[in-house]
Amino acid sequence: MQSHKEAALFDISTVHLITMVDLAVTLAGVPLTSCIYNASGPRTGSSSAMCKIAKSASGGVLAKSATVAPQKGNDLPRTWHEDNGKVSLNSEGLPNNGIDYYIDPKTISETMGESPMKPYMVSISGKNISDNLQMLNKIASAIESGSVNIAAVELNLACPNIVGKPTIGYDFEQMEDVMKQVASLPCFSGSKPLFPLGVKMPPYFDRPHFEMAAAILNKYKHIVSYAASINTIGNALAIDHHAEMPVIRAKGGFAGLSGPAVKYTALANVKQMRELLDDSIDVVGVGGVNTGIDAFEMILCGATAVQVGTCHWNEGPGCFDRICDELKVIMEGKGYSNVEDFRGKLKEWTKEGVALSRQKKMEGKMSNTSGDTQRLTASNDNSSLIIAVLFAIIAILLADKLNIVSL
């Protein structure tokens, strides 16, 4: 049985090994202290919420998707989580404090606080192209004034912006027009963009759609620095069978699907976008990331960084510390010292790979069995000790009662 001293030494050694793994990456020219950071949306509406992200192991802070003016969003209930934690739905309607709030020096200062080395990034999702252009100009003016430090901007192409038209990312003619107008702005018309621009993409399911979307982004690679894939899977519906009604109030119950269930679609999108996009455009993996394994798989498919959304929503900012630690353990076990050691290096299927996987799973089961046995042995040892002490106490009390000894 392992002694408490031996266990303590093992834990210290593990911590030491984990600290030797470096999760820092550079995304779109922006240094991130960790490749794991938050997705825009959950717990990002205010500086009081975002400052908790800044204090965590998250590599940076991405603010709530902003509109030109503040808005409250859809009526409640607008979110729902399956009891098993595998599925979430949301139809929030972009509740936010408006772009002026998210680029205000006070908001940024309150958010970043004691974490000035981490980047602060802004997300925008205007109701139309005019709104997006207006917000980009506002951000550019704020940066040029020198009053704020905004490291990058994420333009949401994954939400419907024009009534009667599809989501921008699904309407390739509209997407081309949006990118053309964005590229014409003064902040992007010089030899170098004023700030890195990322685009949030919807999930794709057909290879020609991947190709068309990537072709447009590649055409504007001089302004597009990264693509974040994926946004929620649209038009999901969950029913409360007791009440015989949708669980979401807004939009007839139709909502965006997120959580662990979407990870496999997200992995496919990351893999295909990485294959099709120009090397100058980074890919950010997002969708269903709940563990260090999930993050590892995203990076293996080619993601430079990984965003966490629904898990952050459910667990709070502590999820960033946990996921980072889990990823470090995986990397250390595989002999990887940094993210570039395995990024985009997903291997082809082989029989040897299947055999290796089976072996590792068996080793894991044996390790768990051994651990259970050790815990059971320790429990039995403790039980035996307690019983021996009780017998000793009873013997002493009896001896005193019979005047054999005097207490």
Side-chain angles (χ1 to χ4, degrees), residues 23-269:
L23 295 185
V25 297
T26 299
L27 172 67
V30 178
L32 302 182
T33 56
S34 164
C35 59
I36 311 296
Y37 71 108
N38 72 287
S40 178
R43 300 177 184 265
T44 55
S46 66
S47 58
S48 61
M50 292 190 289
C51 73
K52 296 174 183 177
I53 301 172
K55 293 175 183 177
S56 76
S58 176
V61 178
L62 178 60
K64 183 86 169 179
S65 286
T67 48
V68 171
Q71 55 185 45
K72 294 181 179 179
N74 295 332
D75 291 335
L76 301 175
R78 57 196 184 196
T79 61
W80 174 82
H81 305 282
E82 177 63 85
D83 292 338
N84 62 17
K86 300 296 184 183
V87 176
S88 293
L89 294 182
N90 85 82
S91 179
E92 290 200 299
L94 286 177
N96 72 96
N97 288 318
I99 188 60
D100 289 340
Y101 175 82
Y102 297 107
I103 63 175
D104 189 298
K106 183 173 183 290
T107 300
I108 299 174
S109 176
E110 290 174 348
T111 295
M112 304 313 294
E114 299 174 0
S115 308
M117 299 304 294
K118 291 185 178 182
Y120 174 82
M121 296 163 278
V122 174
S123 174
I124 61 172
S125 186
K127 295 180 179 180
N128 50 55
I129 181 58
S130 177
D131 283 359
N132 282 326
L133 297 178
Q134 182 181 342
M135 287 190 285
L136 287 168
N137 279 328
K138 281 195 171 192
I139 294 167
S141 296
I143 292 174
E144 288 175 328
S145 72
S147 62
V148 297
N149 186 8
I150 297 173
V153 176
E154 187 170 287
L155 172 61
N156 192 340
L157 300 181
C159 287
N161 285 44
I162 300 176
V163 176
K165 285 197 173 185
T167 296
I168 295 175
Y170 289 143
D171 182 349
F172 299 113
E173 182 178 345
Q174 184 187 179
M175 183 176 167
E176 165 75 32
D177 182 56
V178 167
M179 297 311 302
K180 181 179 179 180
Q181 292 193 54
V182 169
S184 70
L185 293 176
C187 56
F188 296 117
S189 59
S191 58
K192 181 181 178 182
L194 183 60
F195 50 82
L197 178 70
V199 290
K200 183 69 170 286
M201 305 299 290
Y204 296 108
F205 305 93
D206 197 10
R207 179 70 178 189
H209 293 163
F210 283 105
E211 293 171 348
M212 286 186 279
I216 294 172
L217 297 184
N218 286 338
K219 181 177 178 179
Y220 293 94
K221 64 183 179 181
H222 59 291
I223 67 166
V224 177
S225 297
Y226 75 83
S229 291
I230 58 172
N231 194 34
T232 57
I233 298 176
N235 287 309
L237 180 65
I239 303 295
D240 181 337
H241 73 278
H242 297 293
E244 302 179 14
M245 67 180 189
V247 298
I248 298 288
R249 181 177 181 180
K251 299 173 68 174
F254 293 103
L257 177 68
S258 65
V262 310
K263 184 187 78 169
Y264 306 99
T265 297
L267 286 171
N269 274 255

